[in-house]
Amino acid sequence: MEQRILIVDDEESIVTLLKYNIDQAGYVTDVAYNGTDALEKASKDNFDLIVLDVMLPGMDGMEVCKKLRQMQVNTPVLMLTAKDDEFDKVLGLELGADDYLTKPFSPREVVARIKAILRRMVRENVVNDQKIIQIADLSIYPEQYEATIKDEPLTFTPKEFELLLYLAQNLGRVLSRDQLLSAVWNYDFAGDTRIVDVHVSHLREKIEPETKKPVYIKTIRGLGYKMEEPK
């Protein structure tokens, strides 16, 4: 089954360039030129990934991403921006984007990022054929991309779930931020380990009884993070 990509940018030349190269890579594409149309299409149709420009007329890409996540639309988002700004990068990821590219970029790089994100989405669970990972009240279902806490369903972005799963698969092991970047994001994210911190913070908000006193995801000062069985 062909995978469908929504391209969102207000510059027609960029849309044409991206559409041609993404089509050539074997995907089926649709386009939107503003945030309102993008939100409507993404919420009503099933896309495998959204390429989303930040600087859009009316509703910008940040707001589109935020609203999609509020609507429980967890389609992976690759954000594009003309701003090489760490604040914008982290803010976009905080709002639920999965990856980030700064203009100018090569179409080949965009396609490579798309393929990497989609590979992560279909990646098979590497912990044998384990159907469930149980850590105290936390239940993780790798094949379904689902998790519950005390039998209450949790909602994650794809990247949040992959980080949770990787930490759980390495229960009791200290993992550095660089290790997590490599394992979950599949490449070195320009050494920006704050991305890991942002996603850990999101996970704690969802699984920890008290976010300031975490019992599942512990910070190991100077080293990284460790998933533990609560005592």
Side-chain angles (χ1 to χ4, degrees):
M1 188 173 179
E2 291 177 308
Q3 292 174 302
R4 304 184 64 235
I5 311 292
L6 177 62
I7 303 167
V8 187
D9 200 300
D10 62 324
E11 295 185 49
E12 190 170 347
S13 60
I14 290 179
V15 171
T16 300
L17 181 66
L18 289 174
K19 179 173 171 54
Y20 174 79
N21 284 273
I22 295 171
D23 285 345
Q24 288 294 303
Y27 301 105
V28 175
T29 55
D30 194 1
V31 302
Y33 293 93
N34 60 67
T36 303
D37 288 348
L39 184 63
E40 182 176 0
K41 287 189 175 189
S43 61
K44 292 183 178 179
D45 212 341
N46 290 320
F47 291 97
D48 294 283
L49 185 140
I50 303 167
V51 179
L52 179 63
D53 186 34
V54 171
M55 302 298 289
L56 295 171
M59 187 188 308
D60 67 20
M62 297 285 194
E63 188 67 18
V64 172
C65 189
K66 179 181 177 181
K67 287 183 179 294
L68 286 173
R69 297 316 187 215
Q70 288 174 342
M71 297 162 66
Q72 309 299 313
V73 176
N74 289 320
T75 307
V77 172
L78 171 60
M79 278 196 148
L80 308 177
T81 182
K83 295 181 178 180
D84 189 12
D85 188 298
E86 182 179 335
F87 174 79
D88 277 356
K89 181 191 295 185
V90 174
L91 177 60
L93 293 162
E94 284 180 336
L95 294 175
D98 294 84
D99 205 344
Y100 201 101
L101 266 180
T102 302
K103 297 177 180 177
F105 48 75
S106 73
R108 289 179 62 186
E109 185 176 11
V110 175
V111 171
R113 294 289 182 93
I114 289 171
K115 288 180 177 179
I117 294 170
L118 293 176
R119 276 199 306 270
R120 293 196 296 264
M121 291 297 296
V122 300
R123 186 168 54 195
E124 293 183 358
N125 178 25
V126 297
V127 182
N128 302 318
D129 58 352
Q130 198 167 8
K131 303 299 181 185
I132 180 173
I133 299 173
Q134 190 72 48
I135 304 172
D137 293 324
L138 176 65
S139 305
I140 304 171
Y141 303 86
E143 292 183 358
Q144 289 80 23
Y145 260 60
E146 294 174 356
T148 63
I149 192 87
K150 294 184 177 179
D151 296 323
E152 289 293 321
L154 300 168
T155 301
F156 300 103
T157 66
K159 192 62 69 262
E160 288 170 358
F161 184 85
E162 290 178 14
L163 178 58
L164 176 68
L165 180 58
Y166 189 75
L167 287 165
Q169 288 171 341
N170 290 276
L171 185 68
R173 180 184 173 197
V174 178
L175 300 167
S176 71
R177 290 170 175 82
D178 286 336
Q179 282 177 295
L180 293 170
L181 278 174
S182 177
V184 177
W185 278 264
N186 234 10
Y187 60 91
D188 180 8
F189 208 119
D192 190 357
T193 55
R194 285 189 58 195
I195 293 160
V196 175
D197 297 335
V198 165
H199 282 74
V200 167
S201 176
H202 287 177
L203 290 181
R204 283 174 169 162
E205 289 172 4
K206 296 176 182 182
I207 71 171
E208 299 285 2
E210 295 182 59
T211 56
K212 292 183 179 179
K213 297 179 180 178
V215 294
Y216 286 99
I217 304 175
K218 297 290 187 72
T219 300
I220 309 301
R221 190 175 297 277
L223 294 175
Y225 296 101
K226 178 171 67 169
M227 175 75 85
E228 288 187 347
E229 183 102 26
K231 294 180 175 62

